[in-house]
Amino acid sequence: MKLPAEATIYEVAPRDGLQNEARQVPTADKIRFIDALVAAGIRSIEITSFVSPKWIPQLADSAEVARGVHRVPGVRMSALVPNKRGLDTALTAGMREIAVFMSASETHNKKNVNKTIADTLTAFEEVVPPARAAGLAVRAYLSTCFGCPYEGDVDPERVVALTQRLCDLGVYQVSISDTIGVANPQQVEDVLGRLLAKHPSAAIAVHFHDTQGTALANCLVALTLGITTIDAAAGGLGGCPYAPGASGNLATEDVVAMLGVAHRGHLRRT
Ligand code: MG
């Protein structure tokens, strides 16, 4: 089997995982969790989200978390940012990397961010270029790339077109996300094949959910195609509050176990 020599886990449990917990996790525990993930060898980690506490009360302490975690050289820490205000807060809190998010399907985008796709892209113009100008790295999540809980099938060419728009805006990587966990390996091969025909593999990441038990299989297909950034959440935490039926994220420990060789979060085959 042909696999990349190295791959990076992009750990999302502190954000994508904890935002789905019914219970409020104390700030000190979040910080301990993040520090423990870093101690375990994770080098890329999404620590929180600077969205309005009205939307996601679980992450209302984002600034405290960002200021409280121990910054370790070589570890990239990012946070989700929905708009200019979120960017300003993230900058004040010392973030050096942010992520923006939108959906490939109109209905999910509307439910998730209360905007049309066109308006979302316009809003990103107030976030991505200023963030880049401030020296930040910007990543993007493109949700519902393999299916929408409201619309069903999603045209892969929509995914291709929106990924291009996001790259044109200045994001360094688009995480192609299976928000409700409906993707199958053949579909992953199709969608990623289209994207990799236009973009270097480093510009594309994958974000799978394990609703139907297919996350690992989809991840393996992505790796064989040359994708080297895998979003995963410790313990398989997470889901999506605006995606009915979404179960947990691909579990970090499952990816590590599947690849057989764990080299401190940065996976290297020997
Ligand atoms: Mg997720």
Side-chain angles (χ1 to χ4, degrees):
M1 180 179 289
K2 196 167 173 294
L3 290 170
E6 294 185 26
T8 299
I9 296 280
Y10 196 95
E11 174 64 49
V12 297
R15 194 278 303 172
D16 194 352
L18 295 187
Q19 79 175 27
N20 285 285
E21 290 299 303
R23 217 162 55 92
Q24 181 74 33
V25 177
T27 306
D29 288 348
K30 291 178 183 172
I31 292 169
R32 277 218 302 276
F33 183 33
I34 293 162
D35 288 345
L37 287 164
V38 172
I42 295 292
R43 290 184 187 174
S44 292
I45 181 165
E46 193 166 81
I47 60 169
T48 189
S49 172
F50 289 91
V51 302
S52 165
K54 273 186 297 188
W55 294 356
I56 304 187
Q58 293 92 331
L59 302 182
D61 56 356
S62 50
E64 290 92 327
V65 170
R67 281 194 286 267
V69 294
H70 295 91
R71 305 283 172 155
V72 177
V75 175
R76 302 172 69 120
M77 293 190 172
S78 75
L80 216 57
V81 161
N83 50 32
K84 183 71 169 64
R85 182 192 288 191
L87 170 62
D88 293 341
T89 318
L91 278 168
T92 305
M95 297 307 301
R96 304 305 301 152
E97 175 163 338
I98 59 163
V100 295
F101 55 100
M102 64 178 298
S103 310
S105 58
E106 200 66 69
T107 313
H108 186 267
N109 197 70
K110 192 88 206 303
K111 299 233 182 218
N112 203 31
V113 301
N114 201 27
K115 283 192 187 79
T116 64
I117 285 174
D119 288 347
T120 304
L121 287 166
T122 303
F124 282 175
E125 286 168 20
E126 293 176 8
V127 177
V128 182
R132 300 277 291 111
L136 270 63
V138 185
R139 185 180 206 242
Y141 288 95
L142 188 56
S143 297
T144 62
C145 288
F146 302 95
C148 170
Y150 308 104
E151 298 177 16
D153 292 345
V154 173
D155 181 355
E157 285 306 313
R158 283 181 74 83
V159 176
V160 172
L162 290 168
T163 298
Q164 187 64 56
R165 290 289 298 274
L166 290 163
C167 289
D168 291 345
L169 265 173
V171 312
Y172 78 89
Q173 186 175 71
V174 180
S175 182
I176 302 299
S177 306
D178 182 19
T179 310
I180 50 171
V182 293
N184 63 65
Q186 279 193 313
Q187 193 184 9
V188 170
E189 184 177 51
D190 174 38
V191 172
L192 293 181
R194 293 171 194 243
L195 292 166
L196 291 169
K198 296 177 191 283
H199 303 275
S201 57
I204 306 295
V206 286
H207 185 114
F208 294 121
H209 283 197
D210 212 20
T211 314
Q212 301 182 121
T214 53
L216 262 187
N218 292 334
C219 172
L220 188 59
V221 170
L223 286 162
T224 62
L225 293 172
I227 299 291
T228 56
T229 305
I230 308 293
D231 293 6
L237 292 177
C240 176
Y242 302 105
S247 77
N249 285 292
L250 171 62
T252 304
E253 61 273 23
D254 289 350
V255 182
V256 170
M258 178 180 74
L259 293 176
V261 189
H263 187 79
R264 297 189 60 76
H266 203 62
L267 305 175
R268 187 175 290 127
R269 297 177 74 231
T270 55

